[in-house]
Amino acid sequence: MTCTRARTVRSCRLSRSAPTTCGSRRRDLGLLALRLGTGGVLAAHGAQKLLGWFGGGGVSGTAAAMDAMGYAPAKASALAAGLGEAGGGALLALGLATPLGGAAAAGTMAGAAAVHAPNGFFAMEGGYEYPAFLGFVAAGLAVTGAGRYSLDHALGHALDRHWMVPAALVGAAAATLAVVGSRTKRVREAGPSPEDPASESAS
């Protein structure tokens, strides 16, 4: 095994195609690490909302939080947020239907960012920094694809066609704009609340 590895490294250094071949391997490993990390975080947040794991409130607790944040109907919003995070995160981690998983996660994070937006950018002040970061990473993975070390690659990219990327992102953006717009209108009509709903974790 040591000899094989040394031979591979030597071939990467000497071969004319080394920059492309070795750079591709590094990129695929980087995408794998990024997918596992981002997808795992998103899936854990979704499990909090859907199953009450990791100290989460489950569907009922999340529905109450959604109602306080201005999302309605509350239970449907809780299920959508949980599925967007858990489902999108799992798909990203597995590298399966990556455009769909990334778009779903990005749309869910946009909804969370809308709740925190009044507090500014930085997370330490209750701002939208954290959900925005997760959303941008998820959207970026939807565009770049999952790389070689993924189920999409193993399945011949049957669920990762080029046309699926804009379709998934545009669909998620349209749904998010509709939901967030409805929530913004509802919050404005309700007026200021004595308790800041953004104090509840929306991500």
Side-chain angles (χ1 to χ4, degrees):
M1 182 178 292
T2 303
C3 293
T4 303
R5 185 181 302 166
R7 218 175 280 126
T8 301
V9 172
R10 186 161 51 249
S11 66
C12 282
R13 288 175 179 170
L14 299 178
S15 172
R16 291 182 179 179
S17 63
T20 301
T21 303
C22 297
S24 177
R25 289 175 185 168
R26 289 176 59 185
R27 182 196 64 208
D28 291 331
L29 285 171
L31 285 171
L32 175 63
L34 190 62
R35 282 179 18 239
L36 290 175
T38 305
V41 169
L42 287 164
H45 278 289
Q48 286 181 315
K49 292 176 172 61
L50 295 176
L51 304 172
W53 292 359
F54 313 117
V59 174
S60 60
T62 304
M66 287 289 181
D67 185 58
M69 294 173 196
Y71 284 108
K75 186 174 181 179
S77 298
L79 288 171
L83 289 172
E85 291 176 354
L91 290 176
L92 286 176
L94 293 170
L96 177 64
T98 305
L100 175 61
T108 305
M109 289 299 98
V115 175
H116 293 276
N119 296 323
F121 176 72
F122 291 103
M124 64 182 294
E125 298 172 354
Y128 61 90
E129 175 186 10
Y130 182 58
F133 174 75
L134 288 176
F136 276 115
V137 173
L141 287 170
V143 173
T144 61
R148 179 177 297 272
Y149 307 116
S150 65
L151 289 180
D152 275 338
H153 180 78
L155 296 173
H157 296 278
L159 301 175
D160 183 27
R161 303 297 184 190
H162 289 303
W163 63 267
M164 295 178 182
V165 176
L169 290 174
V170 169
T176 300
L177 285 173
V179 171
V180 171
S182 177
R183 181 251 173 193
T184 300
K185 181 179 178 182
R186 196 174 295 109
V187 169
R188 285 176 179 171
E189 291 175 348
S193 172
E195 295 184 3
D196 182 10
S199 63
E200 298 286 345
S201 174
S203 63

